[in-house]
Amino acid sequence: MQKFLSNQNKLFLILSIVILQVFLLKPIQVLADLPTGNAVKDPSAILRNALPIKQVELQELQHKLEETSDLVRGGRWPALTKTVTKCQSLLKKNQSKIIQDLPKDKKKIAEKTFLELKENFDSLQDYSKSKDKYSFIATRRDALDKIGGLEEYFLPSEFPYPIPQEFDNLPRLLGRAKVNIKTSKGDMKAIVDGYNAPLTAGAFIDLSSKNFYKDLPINRAEEFFVLQTGDPIGEAIGYVDAETNEERHVPLEIRIPDEKDTFYNQTFEDLGLYTETPTLPFATLGTLGWSHSNTAVDDGSSQFFFFLYEAELNPAGRNLIDGRNAAFGYVIDGFDVLEELTKDDTIISIDVLEGIENLKLNA
């Protein structure tokens, strides 16, 4: 029987199809393999975005001003000038609406803050026109701090997220706290976020206030990855409650933006959320993370780590920690100290500077 196509004809047909696809058909679009998720790497910006508030006009102003980061970095001064002009327009347009939404006792303070913001934006406009990069960055930081302060006025009077009753015996931080972390290389300051990780932050602030971390060594150091501490001297590997004589365990606790409830003891893999970004992502140097064993996610007790963010090795939204460990805060000052720490160093003390009133020892 004669073959339907000879080998030569088969080759000709294949080549014809390939040529047709290349020249006649619309080519398939290939997108660069970029990391998904939250690309914000500034800890202050992450903390602002993580506040449980819904004040659209103020947050729009915040985000528009934060957009200038890439423009400054790239020296795109004409675009920067236009963005600042947009910020000035948003400020003028929405100021009355924002003040109107504030509690009565905050309105006068807000009016004064808005006058200062106007001065900040006028200065930013001048700095963008004169291409004064460092003055622009310093003034923008000041303006964003003011905006963040205004946003805190919109925080709910009651804690906004339910905590399961099964954890009623655990401490919780119903708000935020600021700590000073004194090490053998120097001091760092960090913000601990109880809004988005109340039990994890609560355990950390509780242990800090008990001087649990005093003179504990850094027991794990992996370059460009993590520095871990919190393993007590002796046989125990966590905090043993003096009353029960049992090791206290803290559940895995992760919030996702716009989700009503916090997820407990479920990893992103368990939930099928492989590309999701948590409200508190491991996206910057000095992210504070809670440790647990390799065999369970609900047995973390006292050990925590500093995430050593390296963009090429741990891209935002594509690292190995988001959704597997709970982040509960960020180093905001002392990054030079953090980068010098090794396994030969020690946590001398962790002192709570602000927010101890937000700590509740149980439900």
Side-chain angles (χ1 to χ4, degrees):
M1 182 183 295
Q2 185 180 12
K3 292 181 180 181
F4 181 71
L5 287 175
S6 66
N7 288 338
Q8 184 176 1
N9 288 337
K10 286 180 182 179
L11 180 60
F12 177 78
L13 179 61
I14 292 171
L15 287 173
S16 299
I17 292 173
V18 171
I19 293 172
L20 184 66
Q21 286 180 329
V22 171
F23 292 102
L24 300 182
L25 298 180
K26 181 179 179 180
I28 298 173
Q29 185 179 14
V30 179
L31 300 178
D33 188 18
L34 296 174
T36 60
N38 186 356
V40 177
K41 298 182 283 294
D42 174 38
S44 296
I46 294 171
L47 287 165
R48 282 191 294 270
N49 290 329
L51 286 171
I53 64 171
K54 292 294 182 184
Q55 214 304 323
V56 177
E57 291 82 8
L58 192 54
Q59 290 173 305
E60 181 184 9
L61 181 63
Q62 171 206 323
H63 295 150
K64 181 58 66 175
L65 186 55
E66 288 172 346
E67 285 178 14
T68 61
S69 294
D70 289 338
L71 299 177
V72 174
R73 191 178 301 112
R76 299 170 59 191
W77 298 106
L80 189 62
T81 301
K82 290 181 181 179
T83 304
V84 173
T85 300
K86 178 64 175 177
C87 289
Q88 291 173 310
S89 175
L90 288 173
L91 183 70
K92 183 178 180 179
K93 174 185 174 184
N94 296 325
Q95 176 177 335
S96 297
K97 171 67 167 61
I98 295 169
I99 293 176
Q100 181 183 343
D101 290 346
L102 281 168
K104 288 183 179 180
D105 61 328
K106 304 297 184 184
K107 291 183 187 294
K108 289 293 184 184
I109 304 173
E111 288 174 358
K112 181 176 181 294
T113 302
F114 274 112
L115 288 174
E116 294 172 352
L117 278 172
K118 182 181 182 305
E119 293 178 0
N120 284 148
F121 288 159
D122 289 344
S123 297
L124 288 174
Q125 193 67 267
D126 293 337
Y127 295 142
S128 63
K129 290 177 180 178
S130 63
K131 301 182 181 180
D132 188 343
K133 177 179 179 180
Y134 297 104
S135 295
F136 187 98
I137 291 172
T139 303
R140 181 187 61 198
R141 184 184 303 114
D142 185 38
L144 284 170
D145 286 344
K146 289 186 176 76
I147 292 172
L150 288 170
E151 288 175 335
E152 290 181 5
Y153 293 154
F154 290 95
L155 288 168
S157 57
E158 296 183 2
F159 192 74
Y161 308 121
I163 301 174
Q165 290 184 348
E166 64 185 288
F167 307 125
D168 279 357
N169 62 320
L170 295 176
R172 64 275 324 276
L173 186 71
L174 305 181
R176 286 182 175 173
K178 186 177 183 179
V179 299
N180 185 73
I181 304 171
K182 188 177 185 62
T183 77
S184 50
K185 288 281 175 61
D187 290 11
M188 299 178 286
K189 288 181 173 57
I191 298 296
V192 178
D193 186 358
Y195 288 117
N196 297 288
L199 299 182
T200 314
F204 177 79
I205 293 298
D206 178 50
L207 293 177
S208 298
S209 66
K210 288 180 166 68
N211 293 319
F212 178 87
Y213 295 109
K214 180 178 174 60
D215 297 328
L216 289 188
I218 291 175
N219 56 288
R220 178 187 177 194
E222 295 187 31
E223 192 173 10
F224 305 123
F225 191 42
V226 298
L227 287 169
Q228 184 166 312
T229 186
D231 185 5
I233 305 300
E235 295 183 3
I237 60 172
Y239 168 69
V240 177
D241 191 310
E243 293 184 4
T244 64
N245 203 34
E246 294 181 354
E247 186 175 274
R248 185 172 73 192
H249 290 165
V250 180
L252 175 65
E253 178 180 45
I254 300 174
R255 275 203 63 75
I256 298 175
D258 300 323
E259 286 287 341
K260 178 182 177 182
D261 297 324
T262 302
F263 293 105
Y264 286 93
N265 290 332
Q266 294 176 286
T267 66
F268 278 2
E269 188 174 1
D270 295 333
L271 296 166
L273 303 174
Y274 298 100
T275 60
E276 190 58 78
T277 299
T279 304
L280 300 179
F282 287 91
T284 186
L285 174 68
T287 307
L288 301 177
W290 201 249
S291 302
H292 56 73
S293 72
N294 291 326
T295 58
V297 296
D298 62 350
D299 61 357
S301 180
S302 65
Q303 297 191 48
F304 72 97
F305 57 89
F306 301 95
F307 184 55
L308 305 180
Y309 177 80
E310 172 58 44
E312 294 183 359
L313 300 177
N314 302 290
R318 285 276 182 93
N319 58 60
L320 299 176
I321 306 181
D322 278 340
R324 293 176 176 84
N325 290 80
F328 62 94
Y330 297 89
V331 171
I332 59 168
D333 186 48
F335 298 102
D336 54 334
V337 174
L338 179 57
E339 292 179 319
E340 292 295 321
L341 293 175
T342 69
K343 200 171 181 180
D344 296 326
D345 288 301
T346 301
I347 302 295
I348 296 174
S349 66
I350 300 179
D351 301 306
V352 183
L353 303 177
E354 300 172 12
I356 192 65
E357 70 277 3
N358 294 324
L359 176 66
K360 311 299 177 187
L361 296 182
N362 50 56

PDB file of all heavy atoms in Angstrom, residues 11-44:
ATOM      1  N   LEU A  11       8.303  16.166   5.866  1.00  0.00           N
ATOM      2  CA  LEU A  11       9.200  17.237   6.277  1.00  0.00           C
ATOM      3  C   LEU A  11       8.746  18.565   5.697  1.00  0.00           C
ATOM      4  O   LEU A  11       8.745  19.591   6.382  1.00  0.00           O
ATOM      5  CB  LEU A  11      10.626  16.919   5.825  1.00  0.00           C
ATOM      6  CG  LEU A  11      11.702  17.958   6.192  1.00  0.00           C
ATOM      7  CD1 LEU A  11      11.794  18.125   7.710  1.00  0.00           C
ATOM      8  CD2 LEU A  11      13.052  17.515   5.630  1.00  0.00           C
ATOM      9  N   PHE A  12       8.343  18.545   4.406  1.00  0.00           N
ATOM     10  CA  PHE A  12       7.873  19.765   3.758  1.00  0.00           C
ATOM     11  C   PHE A  12       6.619  20.303   4.443  1.00  0.00           C
ATOM     12  O   PHE A  12       6.470  21.514   4.658  1.00  0.00           O
ATOM     13  CB  PHE A  12       7.592  19.481   2.269  1.00  0.00           C
ATOM     14  CG  PHE A  12       7.045  20.663   1.527  1.00  0.00           C
ATOM     15  CD1 PHE A  12       7.883  21.701   1.117  1.00  0.00           C
ATOM     16  CD2 PHE A  12       5.692  20.751   1.249  1.00  0.00           C
ATOM     17  CE1 PHE A  12       7.375  22.780   0.437  1.00  0.00           C
ATOM     18  CE2 PHE A  12       5.188  21.838   0.565  1.00  0.00           C
ATOM     19  CZ  PHE A  12       6.030  22.852   0.158  1.00  0.00           C
ATOM     20  N   LEU A  13       5.716  19.416   4.832  1.00  0.00           N
ATOM     21  CA  LEU A  13       4.471  19.818   5.488  1.00  0.00           C
ATOM     22  C   LEU A  13       4.756  20.447   6.853  1.00  0.00           C
ATOM     23  O   LEU A  13       4.179  21.476   7.214  1.00  0.00           O
ATOM     24  CB  LEU A  13       3.555  18.605   5.637  1.00  0.00           C
ATOM     25  CG  LEU A  13       2.202  18.879   6.330  1.00  0.00           C
ATOM     26  CD1 LEU A  13       1.388  19.883   5.539  1.00  0.00           C
ATOM     27  CD2 LEU A  13       1.421  17.555   6.477  1.00  0.00           C
ATOM     28  N   ILE A  14       5.654  19.848   7.601  1.00  0.00           N
ATOM     29  CA  ILE A  14       5.999  20.367   8.925  1.00  0.00           C
ATOM     30  C   ILE A  14       6.601  21.767   8.815  1.00  0.00           C
ATOM     31  O   ILE A  14       6.240  22.683   9.548  1.00  0.00           O
ATOM     32  CB  ILE A  14       6.963  19.414   9.649  1.00  0.00           C
ATOM     33  CG1 ILE A  14       6.241  18.106   9.991  1.00  0.00           C
ATOM     34  CG2 ILE A  14       7.529  20.055  10.924  1.00  0.00           C
ATOM     35  CD1 ILE A  14       7.162  17.013  10.507  1.00  0.00           C
ATOM     36  N   LEU A  15       7.543  21.932   7.864  1.00  0.00           N
ATOM     37  CA  LEU A  15       8.167  23.241   7.665  1.00  0.00           C
ATOM     38  C   LEU A  15       7.138  24.288   7.250  1.00  0.00           C
ATOM     39  O   LEU A  15       7.196  25.446   7.679  1.00  0.00           O
ATOM     40  CB  LEU A  15       9.269  23.138   6.615  1.00  0.00           C
ATOM     41  CG  LEU A  15      10.549  22.416   7.056  1.00  0.00           C
ATOM     42  CD1 LEU A  15      11.488  22.241   5.860  1.00  0.00           C
ATOM     43  CD2 LEU A  15      11.251  23.189   8.159  1.00  0.00           C
ATOM     44  N   SER A  16       6.189  23.892   6.413  1.00  0.00           N
ATOM     45  CA  SER A  16       5.152  24.825   5.962  1.00  0.00           C
ATOM     46  C   SER A  16       4.306  25.300   7.130  1.00  0.00           C
ATOM     47  O   SER A  16       3.948  26.482   7.222  1.00  0.00           O
ATOM     48  CB  SER A  16       4.269  24.155   4.904  1.00  0.00           C
ATOM     49  OG  SER A  16       5.036  23.784   3.777  1.00  0.00           O
ATOM     50  N   ILE A  17       3.963  24.373   8.032  1.00  0.00           N
ATOM     51  CA  ILE A  17       3.152  24.732   9.196  1.00  0.00           C
ATOM     52  C   ILE A  17       3.898  25.703  10.095  1.00  0.00           C
ATOM     53  O   ILE A  17       3.339  26.683  10.590  1.00  0.00           O
ATOM     54  CB  ILE A  17       2.753  23.459   9.977  1.00  0.00           C
ATOM     55  CG1 ILE A  17       1.787  22.622   9.132  1.00  0.00           C
ATOM     56  CG2 ILE A  17       2.109  23.818  11.316  1.00  0.00           C
ATOM     57  CD1 ILE A  17       1.476  21.262   9.735  1.00  0.00           C
ATOM     58  N   VAL A  18       5.200  25.432  10.297  1.00  0.00           N
ATOM     59  CA  VAL A  18       6.012  26.315  11.147  1.00  0.00           C
ATOM     60  C   VAL A  18       6.071  27.718  10.558  1.00  0.00           C
ATOM     61  O   VAL A  18       5.888  28.723  11.256  1.00  0.00           O
ATOM     62  CB  VAL A  18       7.433  25.740  11.320  1.00  0.00           C
ATOM     63  CG1 VAL A  18       8.340  26.768  12.005  1.00  0.00           C
ATOM     64  CG2 VAL A  18       7.386  24.451  12.136  1.00  0.00           C
ATOM     65  N   ILE A  19       6.335  27.803   9.233  1.00  0.00           N
ATOM     66  CA  ILE A  19       6.420  29.108   8.568  1.00  0.00           C
ATOM     67  C   ILE A  19       5.084  29.840   8.653  1.00  0.00           C
ATOM     68  O   ILE A  19       5.021  31.046   8.892  1.00  0.00           O
ATOM     69  CB  ILE A  19       6.849  28.928   7.098  1.00  0.00           C
ATOM     70  CG1 ILE A  19       8.294  28.413   7.036  1.00  0.00           C
ATOM     71  CG2 ILE A  19       6.729  30.250   6.333  1.00  0.00           C
ATOM     72  CD1 ILE A  19       8.733  28.012   5.636  1.00  0.00           C
ATOM     73  N   LEU A  20       3.987  29.097   8.487  1.00  0.00           N
ATOM     74  CA  LEU A  20       2.664  29.701   8.566  1.00  0.00           C
ATOM     75  C   LEU A  20       2.417  30.292   9.946  1.00  0.00           C
ATOM     76  O   LEU A  20       1.883  31.403  10.072  1.00  0.00           O
ATOM     77  CB  LEU A  20       1.607  28.645   8.236  1.00  0.00           C
ATOM     78  CG  LEU A  20       0.154  29.147   8.188  1.00  0.00           C
ATOM     79  CD1 LEU A  20      -0.021  30.121   7.030  1.00  0.00           C
ATOM     80  CD2 LEU A  20      -0.808  27.967   8.052  1.00  0.00           C
ATOM     81  N   GLN A  21       2.812  29.563  10.985  1.00  0.00           N
ATOM     82  CA  GLN A  21       2.627  30.052  12.346  1.00  0.00           C
ATOM     83  C   GLN A  21       3.444  31.313  12.614  1.00  0.00           C
ATOM     84  O   GLN A  21       2.990  32.243  13.275  1.00  0.00           O
ATOM     85  CB  GLN A  21       3.015  28.967  13.349  1.00  0.00           C
ATOM     86  CG  GLN A  21       2.001  27.834  13.442  1.00  0.00           C
ATOM     87  CD  GLN A  21       2.439  26.779  14.444  1.00  0.00           C
ATOM     88  OE1 GLN A  21       3.639  26.562  14.621  1.00  0.00           O
ATOM     89  NE2 GLN A  21       1.475  26.133  15.079  1.00  0.00           N
ATOM     90  N   VAL A  22       4.662  31.327  12.099  1.00  0.00           N
ATOM     91  CA  VAL A  22       5.552  32.458  12.370  1.00  0.00           C
ATOM     92  C   VAL A  22       5.105  33.721  11.653  1.00  0.00           C
ATOM     93  O   VAL A  22       5.074  34.815  12.232  1.00  0.00           O
ATOM     94  CB  VAL A  22       7.006  32.109  11.979  1.00  0.00           C
ATOM     95  CG1 VAL A  22       7.900  33.349  12.060  1.00  0.00           C
ATOM     96  CG2 VAL A  22       7.537  31.001  12.883  1.00  0.00           C
ATOM     97  N   PHE A  23       4.712  33.594  10.387  1.00  0.00           N
ATOM     98  CA  PHE A  23       4.479  34.791   9.564  1.00  0.00           C
ATOM     99  C   PHE A  23       3.015  35.168   9.399  1.00  0.00           C
ATOM    100  O   PHE A  23       2.705  36.324   9.163  1.00  0.00           O
ATOM    101  CB  PHE A  23       5.104  34.599   8.174  1.00  0.00           C
ATOM    102  CG  PHE A  23       6.598  34.557   8.208  1.00  0.00           C
ATOM    103  CD1 PHE A  23       7.290  33.357   8.122  1.00  0.00           C
ATOM    104  CD2 PHE A  23       7.334  35.736   8.350  1.00  0.00           C
ATOM    105  CE1 PHE A  23       8.670  33.314   8.160  1.00  0.00           C
ATOM    106  CE2 PHE A  23       8.711  35.700   8.386  1.00  0.00           C
ATOM    107  CZ  PHE A  23       9.387  34.491   8.292  1.00  0.00           C
ATOM    108  N   LEU A  24       2.125  34.205   9.492  1.00  0.00           N
ATOM    109  CA  LEU A  24       0.724  34.496   9.219  1.00  0.00           C
ATOM    110  C   LEU A  24      -0.142  34.553  10.467  1.00  0.00           C
ATOM    111  O   LEU A  24      -1.125  35.303  10.505  1.00  0.00           O
ATOM    112  CB  LEU A  24       0.150  33.455   8.249  1.00  0.00           C
ATOM    113  CG  LEU A  24       0.851  33.377   6.885  1.00  0.00           C
ATOM    114  CD1 LEU A  24       0.167  32.337   6.000  1.00  0.00           C
ATOM    115  CD2 LEU A  24       0.818  34.746   6.203  1.00  0.00           C
ATOM    116  N   LEU A  25       0.172  33.731  11.432  1.00  0.00           N
ATOM    117  CA  LEU A  25      -0.644  33.702  12.639  1.00  0.00           C
ATOM    118  C   LEU A  25      -0.105  34.672  13.666  1.00  0.00           C
ATOM    119  O   LEU A  25       1.072  34.968  13.698  1.00  0.00           O
ATOM    120  CB  LEU A  25      -0.667  32.280  13.231  1.00  0.00           C
ATOM    121  CG  LEU A  25      -1.273  31.200  12.323  1.00  0.00           C
ATOM    122  CD1 LEU A  25      -1.235  29.870  13.037  1.00  0.00           C
ATOM    123  CD2 LEU A  25      -2.698  31.552  11.916  1.00  0.00           C
ATOM    124  N   LYS A  26      -0.986  35.163  14.563  1.00  0.00           N
ATOM    125  CA  LYS A  26      -0.558  36.066  15.630  1.00  0.00           C
ATOM    126  C   LYS A  26       0.312  35.284  16.605  1.00  0.00           C
ATOM    127  O   LYS A  26      -0.090  34.240  17.100  1.00  0.00           O
ATOM    128  CB  LYS A  26      -1.786  36.618  16.368  1.00  0.00           C
ATOM    129  CG  LYS A  26      -1.423  37.590  17.474  1.00  0.00           C
ATOM    130  CD  LYS A  26      -2.681  38.119  18.152  1.00  0.00           C
ATOM    131  CE  LYS A  26      -2.331  39.073  19.261  1.00  0.00           C
ATOM    132  NZ  LYS A  26      -3.552  39.600  19.930  1.00  0.00           N
ATOM    133  N   PRO A  27       1.511  35.722  16.870  1.00  0.00           N
ATOM    134  CA  PRO A  27       2.388  34.977  17.763  1.00  0.00           C
ATOM    135  C   PRO A  27       1.852  34.971  19.183  1.00  0.00           C
ATOM    136  O   PRO A  27       1.164  35.888  19.621  1.00  0.00           O
ATOM    137  CB  PRO A  27       3.707  35.757  17.685  1.00  0.00           C
ATOM    138  CG  PRO A  27       3.301  37.131  17.284  1.00  0.00           C
ATOM    139  CD  PRO A  27       2.110  36.971  16.399  1.00  0.00           C
ATOM    140  N   ILE A  28       2.161  33.911  19.908  1.00  0.00           N
ATOM    141  CA  ILE A  28       1.776  33.804  21.307  1.00  0.00           C
ATOM    142  C   ILE A  28       2.608  34.762  22.117  1.00  0.00           C
ATOM    143  O   ILE A  28       3.825  34.812  21.999  1.00  0.00           O
ATOM    144  CB  ILE A  28       1.993  32.359  21.817  1.00  0.00           C
ATOM    145  CG1 ILE A  28       1.095  31.412  21.022  1.00  0.00           C
ATOM    146  CG2 ILE A  28       1.700  32.253  23.301  1.00  0.00           C
ATOM    147  CD1 ILE A  28       1.359  29.952  21.325  1.00  0.00           C
ATOM    148  N   GLN A  29       1.926  35.558  22.962  1.00  0.00           N
ATOM    149  CA  GLN A  29       2.643  36.538  23.775  1.00  0.00           C
ATOM    150  C   GLN A  29       3.363  35.817  24.913  1.00  0.00           C
ATOM    151  O   GLN A  29       2.788  35.000  25.616  1.00  0.00           O
ATOM    152  CB  GLN A  29       1.656  37.556  24.356  1.00  0.00           C
ATOM    153  CG  GLN A  29       2.341  38.679  25.116  1.00  0.00           C
ATOM    154  CD  GLN A  29       1.326  39.663  25.658  1.00  0.00           C
ATOM    155  OE1 GLN A  29       0.142  39.368  25.689  1.00  0.00           O
ATOM    156  NE2 GLN A  29       1.797  40.815  26.088  1.00  0.00           N
ATOM    157  N   VAL A  30       4.645  36.109  25.083  1.00  0.00           N
ATOM    158  CA  VAL A  30       5.433  35.523  26.155  1.00  0.00           C
ATOM    159  C   VAL A  30       5.776  36.620  27.143  1.00  0.00           C
ATOM    160  O   VAL A  30       6.406  37.616  26.782  1.00  0.00           O
ATOM    161  CB  VAL A  30       6.730  34.882  25.610  1.00  0.00           C
ATOM    162  CG1 VAL A  30       7.540  34.302  26.752  1.00  0.00           C
ATOM    163  CG2 VAL A  30       6.391  33.804  24.594  1.00  0.00           C
ATOM    164  N   LEU A  31       5.327  36.453  28.382  1.00  0.00           N
ATOM    165  CA  LEU A  31       5.578  37.455  29.403  1.00  0.00           C
ATOM    166  C   LEU A  31       6.827  37.103  30.185  1.00  0.00           C
ATOM    167  O   LEU A  31       7.120  35.928  30.412  1.00  0.00           O
ATOM    168  CB  LEU A  31       4.378  37.540  30.357  1.00  0.00           C
ATOM    169  CG  LEU A  31       3.044  37.925  29.704  1.00  0.00           C
ATOM    170  CD1 LEU A  31       1.946  37.913  30.752  1.00  0.00           C
ATOM    171  CD2 LEU A  31       3.125  39.280  29.042  1.00  0.00           C
ATOM    172  N   ALA A  32       7.556  38.125  30.595  1.00  0.00           N
ATOM    173  CA  ALA A  32       8.740  37.895  31.421  1.00  0.00           C
ATOM    174  C   ALA A  32       8.325  37.244  32.723  1.00  0.00           C
ATOM    175  O   ALA A  32       7.265  37.524  33.270  1.00  0.00           O
ATOM    176  CB  ALA A  32       9.437  39.229  31.700  1.00  0.00           C
ATOM    177  N   ASP A  33       9.150  36.363  33.236  1.00  0.00           N
ATOM    178  CA  ASP A  33       8.850  35.636  34.457  1.00  0.00           C
ATOM    179  C   ASP A  33       9.189  36.508  35.658  1.00  0.00           C
ATOM    180  O   ASP A  33      10.221  36.349  36.295  1.00  0.00           O
ATOM    181  CB  ASP A  33       9.651  34.334  34.503  1.00  0.00           C
ATOM    182  CG  ASP A  33       9.209  33.471  35.669  1.00  0.00           C
ATOM    183  OD1 ASP A  33       8.111  33.706  36.197  1.00  0.00           O
ATOM    184  OD2 ASP A  33       9.973  32.567  36.035  1.00  0.00           O
ATOM    185  N   LEU A  34       8.303  37.457  35.966  1.00  0.00           N
ATOM    186  CA  LEU A  34       8.526  38.375  37.074  1.00  0.00           C
ATOM    187  C   LEU A  34       7.814  37.869  38.306  1.00  0.00           C
ATOM    188  O   LEU A  34       6.784  37.208  38.212  1.00  0.00           O
ATOM    189  CB  LEU A  34       8.003  39.769  36.711  1.00  0.00           C
ATOM    190  CG  LEU A  34       8.715  40.449  35.545  1.00  0.00           C
ATOM    191  CD1 LEU A  34       8.001  41.754  35.210  1.00  0.00           C
ATOM    192  CD2 LEU A  34      10.172  40.718  35.871  1.00  0.00           C
ATOM    193  N   PRO A  35       8.337  38.180  39.476  1.00  0.00           N
ATOM    194  CA  PRO A  35       7.676  37.754  40.695  1.00  0.00           C
ATOM    195  C   PRO A  35       6.324  38.427  40.849  1.00  0.00           C
ATOM    196  O   PRO A  35       6.172  39.601  40.544  1.00  0.00           O
ATOM    197  CB  PRO A  35       8.644  38.211  41.803  1.00  0.00           C
ATOM    198  CG  PRO A  35       9.443  39.307  41.189  1.00  0.00           C
ATOM    199  CD  PRO A  35       9.558  38.948  39.752  1.00  0.00           C
ATOM    200  N   THR A  36       5.347  37.659  41.282  1.00  0.00           N
ATOM    201  CA  THR A  36       4.032  38.217  41.508  1.00  0.00           C
ATOM    202  C   THR A  36       3.931  38.699  42.940  1.00  0.00           C
ATOM    203  O   THR A  36       4.807  38.500  43.752  1.00  0.00           O
ATOM    204  CB  THR A  36       2.967  37.149  41.271  1.00  0.00           C
ATOM    205  OG1 THR A  36       3.201  36.070  42.190  1.00  0.00           O
ATOM    206  CG2 THR A  36       3.017  36.627  39.860  1.00  0.00           C
ATOM    207  N   GLY A  37       2.807  39.329  43.264  1.00  0.00           N
ATOM    208  CA  GLY A  37       2.578  39.722  44.644  1.00  0.00           C
ATOM    209  C   GLY A  37       3.056  41.128  44.929  1.00  0.00           C
ATOM    210  O   GLY A  37       3.340  41.918  44.037  1.00  0.00           O
ATOM    211  N   ASN A  38       3.122  41.409  46.216  1.00  0.00           N
ATOM    212  CA  ASN A  38       3.453  42.749  46.687  1.00  0.00           C
ATOM    213  C   ASN A  38       4.937  43.035  46.483  1.00  0.00           C
ATOM    214  O   ASN A  38       5.791  42.436  47.114  1.00  0.00           O
ATOM    215  CB  ASN A  38       3.080  42.847  48.171  1.00  0.00           C
ATOM    216  CG  ASN A  38       3.242  44.244  48.717  1.00  0.00           C
ATOM    217  OD1 ASN A  38       3.702  45.144  48.016  1.00  0.00           O
ATOM    218  ND2 ASN A  38       2.866  44.427  49.954  1.00  0.00           N
ATOM    219  N   ALA A  39       5.235  43.989  45.584  1.00  0.00           N
ATOM    220  CA  ALA A  39       6.636  44.324  45.309  1.00  0.00           C
ATOM    221  C   ALA A  39       7.150  45.424  46.215  1.00  0.00           C
ATOM    222  O   ALA A  39       8.285  45.844  46.088  1.00  0.00           O
ATOM    223  CB  ALA A  39       6.791  44.722  43.845  1.00  0.00           C
ATOM    224  N   VAL A  40       6.287  45.913  47.123  1.00  0.00           N
ATOM    225  CA  VAL A  40       6.716  46.964  48.034  1.00  0.00           C
ATOM    226  C   VAL A  40       7.758  46.401  48.994  1.00  0.00           C
ATOM    227  O   VAL A  40       7.537  45.380  49.647  1.00  0.00           O
ATOM    228  CB  VAL A  40       5.512  47.522  48.826  1.00  0.00           C
ATOM    229  CG1 VAL A  40       5.962  48.574  49.826  1.00  0.00           C
ATOM    230  CG2 VAL A  40       4.486  48.114  47.862  1.00  0.00           C
ATOM    231  N   LYS A  41       8.911  47.077  49.073  1.00  0.00           N
ATOM    232  CA  LYS A  41      10.006  46.560  49.902  1.00  0.00           C
ATOM    233  C   LYS A  41      10.375  47.506  51.041  1.00  0.00           C
ATOM    234  O   LYS A  41      11.288  47.230  51.793  1.00  0.00           O
ATOM    235  CB  LYS A  41      11.226  46.271  49.024  1.00  0.00           C
ATOM    236  CG  LYS A  41      10.972  45.205  47.966  1.00  0.00           C
ATOM    237  CD  LYS A  41      12.216  44.911  47.160  1.00  0.00           C
ATOM    238  CE  LYS A  41      12.481  46.009  46.141  1.00  0.00           C
ATOM    239  NZ  LYS A  41      11.465  46.087  45.091  1.00  0.00           N
ATOM    240  N   ASP A  42       9.674  48.617  51.157  1.00  0.00           N
ATOM    241  CA  ASP A  42       9.916  49.557  52.238  1.00  0.00           C
ATOM    242  C   ASP A  42       9.076  49.145  53.451  1.00  0.00           C
ATOM    243  O   ASP A  42       7.840  49.078  53.346  1.00  0.00           O
ATOM    244  CB  ASP A  42       9.549  50.967  51.790  1.00  0.00           C
ATOM    245  CG  ASP A  42       9.656  51.971  52.928  1.00  0.00           C
ATOM    246  OD1 ASP A  42      10.591  51.852  53.738  1.00  0.00           O
ATOM    247  OD2 ASP A  42       8.805  52.872  53.005  1.00  0.00           O
ATOM    248  N   PRO A  43       9.694  48.846  54.610  1.00  0.00           N
ATOM    249  CA  PRO A  43       8.917  48.368  55.757  1.00  0.00           C
ATOM    250  C   PRO A  43       7.861  49.352  56.228  1.00  0.00           C
ATOM    251  O   PRO A  43       6.765  48.948  56.633  1.00  0.00           O
ATOM    252  CB  PRO A  43       9.984  48.127  56.839  1.00  0.00           C
ATOM    253  CG  PRO A  43      11.186  48.907  56.399  1.00  0.00           C
ATOM    254  CD  PRO A  43      11.133  48.916  54.913  1.00  0.00           C
ATOM    255  N   SER A  44       8.157  50.656  56.167  1.00  0.00           N
ATOM    256  CA  SER A  44       7.175  51.651  56.591  1.00  0.00           C
ATOM    257  C   SER A  44       5.953  51.638  55.675  1.00  0.00           C
ATOM    258  O   SER A  44       4.816  51.768  56.133  1.00  0.00           O
ATOM    259  CB  SER A  44       7.806  53.046  56.614  1.00  0.00           C
ATOM    260  OG  SER A  44       8.850  53.111  57.572  1.00  0.00           O
TER     261      SER A  44
END
